[in-house]
Amino acid sequence: MVRTEKQKSATQTSERQKQTSDRAGGGDDAQWAAKFEIALAVEHSAPDGLAEQVLEETRLTAVEAGTSIREVFGDPGAYAATVAAERIDEAHRSSVDLEGFAAGDRFTSSLLLAAGQVFLFGIVLWVSNGLWVDVGWPTGGSGLLLAALVVLVTGVIPELRAAGRLRAGRAAMACAGLLVLACAAGFTAIPRGPQVSVPAPSLFVVAALVGVLGWRLSPERAGRWFRGRAAGSSGGIRTDDHDDEAWLTRLSALLRGRHGVSAGAAVRSVAEARDHLAASGGRAADEFGDVEVYALRLSEGPEKSRRAARAELVPTALFTGGLLWWGFDLLSDPEPGSPWFWAKAAVLIAGIWAWITTTSSLWQKLGPGGAGRTGGGTGSRA
């Protein structure tokens, strides 16, 4: 049967729409979407849901235009920067730290990291010693303290600093030093004493419990824990007394802790704010607004990426020392027939790869032209 012109036109339109839809969901657009999502999350710390919303908008636009997303929106990294500038407000940007972590993210991630370490430790023990493992209280207790140390160093201390609780952060660092000594003593110096046999898979249960806690715990809730009881809608300042000194103290703590500004620069910024208040006779909250947003404005500028890189120097140096010690311990007494040897070798290889990646990134940020990519530094009053 001969088709009418309307049927032919409808068929052709349907085919064009199908081809356009296939193109929009094709390989190039999928790569574009992945790069855009990574850039928006890593470089601009976008709030949850923004990437999905923007990607749906770009897909629909590309379908209507009958072309690929790249041809409409250009480079994914550049478009991510445009979206961040237009659609991520100061309230969100002021809540993330120098490395782009929102409140609570580091703590929940540290729980997942500790769970993974306990799980791998259980596998190695099972393979090397069999189903039942003899454990004494010094080594067993040191293993638990080691897991706590991981959470403390990777989750608690950074969260306290980002929340502006510098004294609590220093106290946590002192506790971390004590835990290191306790772990070293438990594994080496303290006699093992009476031993009990426990099934190696029991560590999997512990890992599962910690992992579920880290997965189910809301970062927002964890962030409130670290901000303290005084935290309120105005960045931790009580909303019923307009205490200017508390506002200025909070400003200094946020600049130094959350945004990595040097102590001298933070002192100068606070002194300028205090002089302005003395001259104007106004209240800090009225003159400058929300303390967290104001701290963000002061911290933005061409030095922000360099400050982020400098903040990574000490952890990178410690990681380098630990990696060298790990490699020396592995190679000084090699035992290729032991599963522990190959487990340590795998950790060493992964550590070397992470070290190369980290140091390369630091070199790019601290080298000539490294500043200015992300913005930072202390600026003038907004």
Side-chain angles (χ1 to χ4, degrees), residues 313-324 350-356 358:
L313 288 176
V314 172
T316 301
L318 295 175
F319 179 70
T320 301
L323 197 63
L324 291 173
I352 291 174
W353 176 82
W355 182 86
I356 293 174
T358 302

Side-chain angles (χ1 to χ4, degrees), residues 112-136:
L112 295 176
L113 176 62
Q117 291 179 328
V118 172
F119 184 81
L120 292 176
F121 190 62
I123 291 178
V124 174
L125 282 179
W126 195 351
V127 172
S128 59
N129 298 332
L131 180 61
W132 292 90
V133 181
D134 294 331
V135 180

Side-chain angles (χ1 to χ4, degrees), residues 27-96:
D28 182 63
D29 282 358
Q31 293 178 4
W32 190 98
K35 292 179 180 179
F36 168 82
E37 195 164 6
I38 292 174
L40 194 63
V42 175
E43 298 180 15
H44 305 287
S45 305
D48 294 339
L50 179 60
E52 292 80 1
Q53 179 182 349
V54 173
L55 287 176
E56 180 62 18
E57 294 171 359
T58 59
R59 186 189 68 81
L60 293 176
T61 302
V63 169
E64 293 177 359
T67 184
S68 67
I69 297 179
R70 186 180 296 274
E71 292 178 2
V72 179
F73 296 98
D75 179 73
Y79 188 64
T82 300
V83 169
E86 295 177 352
R87 302 176 67 167
I88 301 179
D89 58 17
E90 285 186 321
H92 174 78
R93 291 191 291 116
S94 67
S95 66
V96 301

